[in-house]
Amino acid sequence: MSKFKRRPDGTTYRKRNPINEQFSPRTLAMLESPAYRVMSLAAHRVIARIEIELCHHGGNDNGRLPVTYEDFIEYGIHHGSIAAGIREAEALGFIRVTERGRGGNREYHKPSLYGLTFAYDRSTRDASPPNDWKKIKSIEEAE
């Protein structure tokens, strides 16, 4: 694949980003952080599933991402581990539950809304992410 694209007028320009699909960046500082290193598999999968939802929204709506328990189960999280994974990821500062949902039938059910504290919201480019996970400075504090 060429790094250059052609405009309709015939001129060429260099692509700024060689990745041709949605992605979610995880910084080196985050990957090496004590909070990230002590997380359980369920919490890792919760974060990954919310990242997928952010990609489905085109990088917008961070903080208003609806993810249902069914979505978490389809992604591979055991039903009994979902709530604990969400609590853990939120306690370690990687996600925020911005609105609690509720189960029920028909018009009474509503999914919880989530936000990633390490991801930019493309609709509000001027605000940098809060990176709440940086508040945890040691493995002991994270555990």
Side-chain angles (χ1 to χ4, degrees), residues 78-126:
H78 186 270
H79 185 274
S81 302
I82 296 171
I86 292 169
R87 284 192 302 270
E88 182 180 350
E90 189 173 26
L92 291 172
F94 292 103
I95 68 169
R96 287 186 181 163
V97 181
T98 56
E99 192 173 317
R100 302 272 177 203
R102 63 174 181 242
N105 297 327
R106 294 183 59 183
E107 68 272 1
Y108 300 108
H109 74 279
K110 183 177 164 192
S112 293
L113 302 180
Y114 301 93
L116 297 166
T117 65
F118 57 90
Y120 285 93
D121 186 346
R122 294 180 68 200
S123 61
T124 58
R125 282 195 180 264
D126 53 8

